[in-house]
Structures are given as structure tokens and as C-alpha cells.
């Protein structure tokens, strides 16, 4: 509706020919009303929703550099980026800052790092960048050979992928994965029975066993780096079904494994780091001699038969079996579960980025 001065009633001072000062005030009032009308009628600017000038310029660059595919919902992705940026508190860096920057991946980065980064780009093209801020940041700052890896405490150094801003401790309480722990512990009798059946057939690579690390440690895998070992699963059908009933088992990418781990008497596994901080290893004790010990991040723990330990193996850890030959091997059923602080969208993206075929 056009603005009309006829609709605004004149004040008494104007009708009676007031002093010039009153006319000046009336002019200022009209200008103020006109300004309010223009502000209220203009549509809000998307770039104005971002908090900093750098954020606005980054968003503009991303819009100009990235061609829009009509098959994908580009406007929705832009809205998601805007909303997540607004929710960040003043003075803090948004998880999406590296996404919005679109800085080129360093040419001197390792080939494997570039491969994983391209996989994330493919995933975002198919789905969305929404929720990918931490993964994007982790790939750029951790896998890059120029990243300041030594800035992180030496007690936790996953060697393959580090997800930033994930709170972690060496041993997690049962409540972190109560459902899956209760399922595994309830299945303890059938799991140990199926282990004893395959163990009595003999430890041989032709029978599905493999040797891991130093002499004295062997593994009967049901899942190996995200791939189901079909012959071993057929040998342990109830244990396999138990795995499938778990809510947080990592079964679709190379970060996840499950199987029976044996450590012979006198064997020690030196200090090592797991590949990632996005998972927890759940150890169900099957045969646990008294002289066995697990030290993670400087904290010692002992296994207990029929009970689970939740371990973040991205911390420096050592395993030892100081018992004698009469004690037999230490046996655990190990299952890799998602870290409870990894969101569902991030899990789906990691399944894609670390898919076994990639």
C-alpha cells in the first residue's frame, strides 16, 4: 500500500501555523515513520543472519563456486547451514566454519587423507552438509599430514581418524550402552559355548583363525573391518544373531569389528593406539585368569567372566597375561560400538566415508 501524507493527521501546531521548530519536529517524525515502514516491508537477508563478516563472505563464496544440481535440495542445505551458525554462542567457532570456508584441501596431504575427504564430498553431494561440521573439521585438521597432531595430548592419538570435540575417558560406565551390554551379558552362556566349540576344533588359519600382533594373540573374527566373515558366523549362529540385535554395533564400515580374542600366558601387547575415537570397544570376559590386566590411559582394569568393559582404545593401552601355562589363555568377546557422543547423522556419514570398499 503506497504511503500517503493525507492519511496522517496534522498536529495542532501545523494547523495553526506553529513556529519553525515545530515544523522541523514534524519533518523528523515523518522521516522516522517512513524508515519504520521500509524496515518492516523489506525481506530479511540470509547473509545478515550470520554473525560475522567472515561468515557472510564465506557463504557468498560457497554460493558462487558450487553449481546447483536441480536434483538436490540446495536451498534446504543453505537454510540448515544458516540455522546451525546462528545457534553458536558469540566468541566461539562454529562446527560449520570449515565447511563454509571452502578452502582447498592441502596438496601435500597424504593420498589416503585426500581419498577420505573426497568420499565426504560425495556423501554431502548425495545427502547434505548438515551435521557434517565435526567430520569435515576432523578430516582437514587431523588426517592432513601438516596438522598439528602433536598439539593433542599423547595419551590419546588415534592413528586413522579423530573426531573433534568428542568428550572421552579411558573406561566408560555401563550406562553409556546399557541395552547392548545387558544383551551381551545375558547371552554369555551361549557365546562361551559356541567359542568352546570352535576352540576345540583347533587354532588354524584354515579354520578361520588369524594371528594379530605379537606371538600369543589370535583372533576368531565374526566381523573384520566392517565385513562379515560368513564361515565364522555360520560356526557361531547364536553369537551372530546376538550381534545383529545390538543397537550400536559398528557393522557397516572398516572401523568396526567383532570376534573372539585370545592372549596366551606370558604375552604382552605394548603401548598402542586404536584407529579412531568414534568407537568404544566392548569386552565381554569369557575366560579371565587372575594375572591378566588391561591398562588404558594409565588406568588399570581387570576383566571379569560374564561381564563387560567399555574401553576407548584410542587412548594409549597395554594388555598383559602374566599367568602360567596352567592358567590357559585369556579369552574375551570384543565388539566395537559407536561412541555415545557421535550423532546419528555423523554415524551415517562415517559408514559412507569408511565403507570397506572405499
Amino acid at each position: 500500500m503506497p504511503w500517503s501524507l493525507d492519511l496522517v493527521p496534522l498536529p495542532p501546531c501545523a494547523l495553526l501555523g506553529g513556529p519553525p521548530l515545530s515544523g522541523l519536529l514534524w519533518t523528523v517524525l515523518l522521516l522516522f515513520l517512513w524508515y519504520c515502514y521500509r524496515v518492516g516491508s523489506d525481506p530479511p537477508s540470509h547473509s545478515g543472519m550470520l554473525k560475522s563478516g567472515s561468515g557472510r563472505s564465506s557463504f557468498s563464496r560457497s554460493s558462487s563456486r558450487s553449481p546447483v544440481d536441480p536434483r538436490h535440495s540446495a536451498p534446504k542445505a543453505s537454510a540448515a547451514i544458516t540455522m546451525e551458525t546462528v545457534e553458536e554462542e558469540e566468541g566461539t567457532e562454529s562446527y560449520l566454519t570449515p565447511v563454509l570456508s571452502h578452502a582447498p584441501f592441502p596438496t601435500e596431504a597424504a593420498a589416503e587423507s585426500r581419498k577420505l575427504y573426497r568420499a565426504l564430498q560425495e556423501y554431502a553431494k548425495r545427502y547434505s552438509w548438515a551435521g557434517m561440521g565435526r567430520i569435515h573439521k576432523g578430516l582437514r585438521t587431523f588426517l592432513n599430514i601438516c596438522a598439528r597432531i602433536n598439539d593433542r595430548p599423547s595419551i590419546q592419538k588415534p592413528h586413522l581418524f579423530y573426531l573433534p570435540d568428542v568428550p572421552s575417558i579411558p573406561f566408560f560406565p555401563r550406562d553409556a550402552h546399557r541395552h547392548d551390554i545387558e544383551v551381551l551379558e545375558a547371552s554369555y552362556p551361549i557365546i562361551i559355548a559356541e567359542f568352546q566349540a570352535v576352540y576345540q576344533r583347533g587354532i588354524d588359519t584354515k579354520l578361520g583363525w588369524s594371528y594379530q600382533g605379537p606371538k600369543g594373540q589370535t583372533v576368531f573374527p565374526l566381523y573384520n573391518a566392517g565385513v562379515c566373515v560368513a564361515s565364522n558366523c555360520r560356526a557361531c549362529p547364536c553369537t551372530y544373531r546376538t550381534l545383529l540385535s545390538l543397537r550400536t554395533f559398528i557393522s557397516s564400515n572398516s572401523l568396526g569389528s567383532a570376534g573372539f580374542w585370545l592372549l596366551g600366558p606370558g604375552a604382552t601387547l605394548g603401548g598402542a593406539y586404536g584407529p579412531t575415537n568414534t568407537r568404544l570397544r566392548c569386552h565381554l570376559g569369557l575366560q579371565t585368569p587372575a594375572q591378566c590386566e588391561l591398562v588404558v590411559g594409565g588406568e588399570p582394569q581387570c576383566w571379569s567372566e560374564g561381564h563387560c568393559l567399555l574401553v576407548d582404545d584410542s587412548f594409549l593401552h597395554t594388555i598383559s597375561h602374566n599367568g602360567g601355562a596352567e592358567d590357559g589363555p585369556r579369552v574375551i568377546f570384543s565388539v566395537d560400538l559407536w561412541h555415545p557422543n557421535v550423532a546419528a547423522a555423523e554415524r551415517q556419514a562415517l559408514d559412507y566415508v569408511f565403507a570397506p570398499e572405499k
Side-chain angles (χ1 to χ4, degrees):
M1 170 179 173
W3 186 265
S4 174
L5 294 178
D6 296 336
L7 299 179
V8 181
L10 295 177
C13 62
L15 294 174
L16 299 177
L21 182 60
S22 299
L24 178 61
L25 293 176
W26 174 239
T27 302
V28 172
L29 175 62
L30 287 178
L31 290 175
F32 175 75
L33 292 175
W34 174 82
Y35 173 77
C36 293
Y37 170 77
R38 289 296 303 271
V39 171
S41 61
D42 287 344
S45 171
H46 289 291
S47 61
M49 296 179 68
L50 294 175
K51 293 188 174 182
S52 64
S54 60
R56 287 193 293 269
S57 60
S58 300
F59 186 84
S60 300
R61 287 196 299 269
S62 67
S63 301
S64 60
R65 292 184 183 182
S66 302
V68 177
D69 189 338
R71 295 172 297 176
H72 303 294
S73 178
K76 292 184 179 179
S78 300
I81 290 176
T82 302
M83 286 189 294
E84 291 199 27
T85 307
V86 170
E87 289 174 357
E88 296 292 331
E89 295 181 0
E90 291 287 348
T92 62
E93 181 182 8
S94 169
Y95 286 154
L96 287 163
T97 298
V99 177
L100 296 173
S101 68
H102 281 263
F105 202 67
T107 56
E108 64 271 22
E112 183 64 21
S113 303
R114 299 178 64 85
K115 181 179 179 182
L116 293 173
Y117 187 72
R118 285 194 298 269
L120 178 62
Q121 289 178 316
E122 293 172 4
Y123 174 85
K125 183 178 179 181
R126 291 189 180 188
Y127 303 100
S128 172
W129 274 114
M132 297 300 103
R134 290 198 301 183
I135 296 179
H136 187 283
K137 181 180 178 182
L139 288 175
R140 293 187 61 85
T141 62
F142 180 74
L143 292 176
N144 178 8
I145 60 173
C146 297
R148 296 175 295 174
I149 296 177
N150 292 329
D151 287 353
R152 289 183 289 102
S154 60
I155 199 172
Q156 186 186 26
K157 284 188 178 180
H159 57 78
L160 180 58
F161 177 68
Y162 179 80
L163 187 64
D165 307 315
V166 174
S168 193
I169 51 179
F171 294 95
F172 272 69
R174 295 170 57 90
D175 288 343
H177 284 304
R178 177 170 293 278
H179 173 271
D180 289 352
I181 285 179
E182 290 178 349
V183 169
L184 287 169
E185 292 179 348
S187 304
Y188 166 75
I190 190 63
I191 291 176
I192 192 172
E194 291 188 336
F195 161 73
Q196 290 171 345
V198 298
Y199 181 68
Q200 290 171 0
R201 296 186 310 180
I203 298 178
D204 193 316
T205 55
K206 297 179 180 179
L207 298 175
W209 292 85
S210 61
Y211 294 93
Q212 297 282 337
K215 184 178 180 180
Q217 179 171 249
T218 52
V219 181
F220 188 80
L222 301 187
Y223 274 79
N224 183 24
V227 178
C228 176
V229 184
S231 58
N232 290 359
C233 288
R234 284 194 294 268
C236 304
C238 293
T239 303
Y240 172 67
R241 286 195 292 271
T242 299
L243 279 177
L244 297 184
S245 69
L246 301 181
R247 295 175 179 173
T248 59
F249 171 45
I250 304 177
S251 60
S252 302
N253 70 60
S254 58
L255 303 176
S257 298
F260 300 102
W261 291 68
L262 278 68
L263 186 68
T268 298
L269 306 183
Y273 300 95
T276 180
N277 67 328
T278 62
R279 75 180 190 190
L280 298 180
R281 290 214 134 163
C282 183
H283 292 177
L284 174 64
L286 301 183
Q287 182 174 309
T288 58
Q291 300 301 316
C292 297
E293 187 178 57
L294 170 65
V295 180
V296 181
E299 298 182 20
Q301 287 282 357
C302 296
W303 295 277
S304 178
E305 295 178 3
H307 298 280
C308 291
L309 278 179
L310 274 180
V311 182
D312 185 343
D313 70 333
S314 65
F315 285 87
L316 181 67
H317 58 277
T318 59
I319 303 173
S320 60
H321 184 348
N322 299 317
E326 66 279 3
D327 295 320
R330 181 233 57 184
V331 184
I332 62 169
F333 182 59
S334 177
V335 183
D336 289 333
L337 308 176
W338 284 110
H339 191 291
N341 293 100
V342 178
E346 293 173 323
R347 296 177 186 182
Q348 181 177 331
L350 291 173
D351 280 344
Y352 185 90
V353 172
F354 289 98
E357 68 271 15
K358 289 192 178 294

